Amino acid sequence: MKPVDFELHRPATTGEAVALLAEHAPEAKVLAGGQSLLPLLNFRLARPEHLVDLGRIASLAELRRTRDALVVGAMVRQSRAERSPAVAADAPLLAAAFPHIAHPPVRNRGTVGGSLAHGDPAAELPAVARALDAVFVAAGPGGRREIAARDFFQANLMTALDAGELLVEIRFPRAAPGTGASFQEVARRNGDFALVGVAAQVTVRDGVIGDARVCVTGVGPTPYRAAAAEEALTGRAPTEARLAEAADALRAAIEPSGDLHATAGYRRDVAGTLAARAVAEAHRRATAAAPTRLDDGDVAGHPAR
Ligand SMILES: Cc1cc2nc3c(=O)[nH]c(=O)nc-3n(C[C@H](O)[C@H](O)[C@H](O)COP(=O)(O)OP(=O)(O)OC[C@H]3O[C@@H](n4cnc5c(N)ncnc54)[C@H](O)[C@@H]3O)c2cc1C
């Protein structure tokens, strides 16, 4: 099928884009890489009369570092961020997630901001943003505002962005020394959306996990931050017993739904298994960066916390 007729606007600045959205609300929609929006238009599931294409706004495609954050412009293409040494160094979890998104041609067009603004419950990048406590910067008629990742994802395909707002940039806190990350997922075919995916990042301090971040996609309408699993890991060494404890804590905490693709029980079980795998790999990568003690203090009789 073909989309219904629409008028295409190609603003050169964020201010122009915001003004266009205000002028044509509620019939205007933002166009980024088009990899989610264009199929919706073609199937006529979305029928905006105006499309505001962000592709000419150079400032939205900037990727830069500040002292504390890696700042990713909303229009940075996923493939560019995937290859960026700055992303690999400062946000290794973000770098680990990209290969799981679709296929290279989709990532060549798809943007980091588009994926986050779309808010698909099975997408990888929302889980990464939530795990890292990223900060979203939105621009609207009233100016700019910051939105914490925990507040950004509100429901299936719903975010905290108002209809007249643009996502401008996402600030990812820079990884501390001794940090490793891993993204693990199960999908029916390579490149499909995940049935379940787990984003994990650990920072090793004094030979144990000083900071653990675990977030799951595909088990609810928004990314699930696995606080109980994180607590089971923090201050400990990731022995098999500890990883199993964290996995069980996660399984007990989530309430996934079943659908045509997987039962709720399968999703729950796999989430725990992937979490253990992701944390173990993240820890291996972290220790490659910062040597650590490998014994579990509890087991050895020297409590680790
Ligand atoms: C075959 C295929 C497989 C895919 N597999 C996966 C997958 O496995 N995992 C995954 O995560 N994604 C997958 N995707 C989706 C892909 O990652 C998209 O690129 C992404 O979801 C949307 O990014 P985009 O830049 O293309 O946004 P668009 O499609 O242009 O926009 C998506 C939505 O976000 C809004 N939007 C975009 N940018 C902004 C902004 N700056 N401010 C406010 N609103 C904005 C748009 O109005 C629209 O509603 C797949 C897509 C395809 C075609």
Side-chain angles (χ1 to χ4, degrees), residues 29-30 32-37 78 102 110-111 114-115 117 123-124 167 192-193:
K29 201 121 183 75
V30 169
Q35 297 303 295
S36 295
L37 184 56
Q78 294 160 7
T111 63
S115 174
E124 288 81 4
L167 178 59
D192 280 4
F193 274 97

Side-chain angles (χ1 to χ4, degrees), residues 4-138:
V4 295
D5 286 347
F6 57 81
E7 191 176 339
L8 182 67
H9 304 270
R10 307 195 73 196
T13 66
T14 302
E16 283 174 37
V18 169
L20 282 163
L21 287 177
E23 183 184 345
H24 298 293
E27 303 301 339
K29 201 121 183 75
V30 169
L31 174 66
Q35 297 303 295
S36 295
L37 184 56
L38 292 186
L40 293 174
L41 296 183
N42 287 340
F43 284 111
R44 301 196 172 188
L45 295 170
R47 295 164 166 256
E49 292 173 10
H50 298 268
L51 279 188
V52 179
D53 179 0
L54 305 183
R56 285 191 176 163
I57 306 178
S59 62
L60 295 184
E62 286 176 4
L63 186 57
R64 60 192 166 84
R65 282 166 154 158
T66 65
R67 196 165 60 87
D68 303 321
L70 175 77
V71 183
V72 181
M75 284 298 289
V76 170
R77 306 280 171 187
Q78 294 160 7
S79 57
R80 179 175 157 219
E82 181 179 1
R83 292 193 299 266
S84 159
V87 173
D90 291 341
L93 184 55
L94 185 59
F98 286 119
H100 295 281
I101 301 176
H103 305 281
V106 173
R107 301 199 293 273
N108 283 341
R109 294 296 309 163
T111 63
V112 173
S115 174
L116 293 165
H118 192 54
D120 191 295
E124 288 81 4
L125 298 189
V128 170
R130 185 78 180 83
L132 297 181
D133 292 319
V135 174
F136 293 74
V137 180

Side-chain angles (χ1 to χ4, degrees), residues 14-19 21-22 60 136-147 160-169 171:
T14 302
E16 283 174 37
V18 169
L21 287 177
L60 295 184
F136 293 74
V137 180
R144 293 193 174 207
R145 66 179 177 123
E146 295 182 0
I147 308 167
L161 290 173
D162 292 334
E165 275 185 322
L166 285 181
L167 178 59
V168 173
E169 65 188 27
R171 299 180 187 154

